[in-house]
Amino acid sequence: MIRGLWNRETVAAILLAAYLPIALIWVGHEGKEAFSRLGLSLLVVAIWHLVFMLARAQPPSLYGLATALAVAILAPEEIGVFRMALALSFGVVMGELVFGGWGRNVVNPATVTLSFLGFGFPSFEWPVFDLPVAWAAIPAALIGIATGTMPVSVLMGAGILGAGAVAAGYLSEPVVVASAIVLVLLVADPVTSASTSLGRWLNGVVFAALVVLFANGWAGAAGVQIAVAAAFLSSLSAPLLDEAALSVWVAQRRKRHGRS
């Protein structure tokens, strides 16, 4: 059966292309360490995709490469092979594969993995990114918007509120840099973000609001740690935001056309 050009794997491939500017700048700054972290992440993800393919005839997805890339970039430093493999196993299996693969999952698997590392191993130091890595998030977002694979409302909602918070002095540069990368790699996932137009705006606003709240109330937290926690909670709120958006739409139609 011919499914046409736009299928799950096409979207995953375009998202990978969009993430390429961030990946290239990150590799250029990290050097050999970047390849070792990425290689480990790819190996663990590939093993679990293979297991589910053999056990459940569940086809692997290219998005596994995006998961491995996001985790390699954002995971705490010096976390070690065992801890990284454990967290990735939990995130990929419980955040993606048990739901039937990417496209049916509720929370981004990389977000689950990074949250697991944050809760389970809080003493490890999170990475601090140079400004060029954050600037690379801009072309990545533009590619995603131009191809329709990233929800522009999520990016705009977070960007507008985040810009206001920066202007008011509520966000430091490390938090802004980390939040920009997390926004593109994790929050703007077309599967796990909100689906309705209003819900997507709210999704971006909630992410930015949580970043501001954590940045000013979470003493000693690193920028990436703050952004990952905000991404996890905002993605969990996405179904509720869609429900609220649908309730508003129904109320408006009833007011305009009557209950019948």
Side-chain angles (χ1 to χ4, degrees):
M1 182 177 67
I2 298 176
R3 295 179 295 174
L5 176 64
W6 287 99
N7 54 49
R8 182 183 71 161
E9 293 311 299
T10 304
V11 175
I14 294 174
L15 283 173
L16 281 171
Y19 299 153
L20 194 58
I22 298 177
L24 292 176
I25 298 299
W26 171 69
V27 168
H29 279 259
E30 294 294 324
K32 294 181 180 179
E33 178 66 22
F35 287 106
S36 62
R37 287 166 66 89
L38 183 57
L40 174 61
S41 299
L42 288 171
L43 178 61
V44 175
V45 171
I47 288 173
W48 282 111
H49 276 257
L50 178 61
V51 168
F52 273 75
M53 182 181 70
L54 296 175
R56 297 174 54 174
Q58 184 172 301
S61 172
L62 283 173
Y63 194 78
L65 302 178
T67 299
L69 176 64
V71 172
I73 293 174
L74 297 169
E77 298 177 347
E78 306 298 333
I79 197 68
V81 174
F82 175 75
R83 297 181 185 89
M84 179 75 92
L86 177 64
L88 261 169
S89 298
F90 179 83
V92 171
V93 173
M94 302 305 296
E96 176 187 352
L97 296 177
V98 296
F99 293 100
W102 186 71
R104 301 181 178 91
N105 51 307
V106 178
V107 183
N108 186 292
T111 305
V112 177
T113 300
L114 295 165
S115 299
F116 181 94
L117 288 171
F119 289 125
F121 310 105
S123 61
F124 285 88
E125 185 176 353
W126 293 81
V128 177
F129 298 106
D130 294 326
L131 197 57
V133 183
W135 283 116
I138 296 177
L142 291 177
I143 294 172
I145 292 171
T147 55
T149 53
M150 290 186 190
V152 61
S153 301
V154 173
L155 296 169
M156 291 293 292
I160 291 172
L161 183 58
V166 171
Y170 289 114
L171 294 178
S172 62
E173 182 178 303
V175 175
V176 174
V177 169
S179 298
I181 298 169
V182 168
L183 175 63
V184 173
L185 292 179
L186 304 182
V187 182
D189 182 348
V191 172
T192 58
S193 59
S195 300
T196 61
S197 179
L198 176 59
R200 286 175 171 174
W201 279 100
L202 294 174
N203 200 166
V205 168
V206 167
F207 169 71
L210 288 171
V211 168
V212 174
L213 177 64
F214 294 155
N216 292 275
W218 190 350
V224 176
Q225 190 175 14
I226 288 171
V228 167
F232 182 69
L233 293 177
S234 63
S235 64
L236 289 179
S237 70
L240 179 61
L241 298 176
D242 278 334
E243 184 67 24
L246 290 172
S247 298
V248 170
W249 179 79
V250 170
Q252 289 176 340
R253 284 191 60 84
R254 284 179 174 175
K255 183 178 180 180
R256 186 178 302 117
H257 302 291
R259 291 184 178 275
S260 59

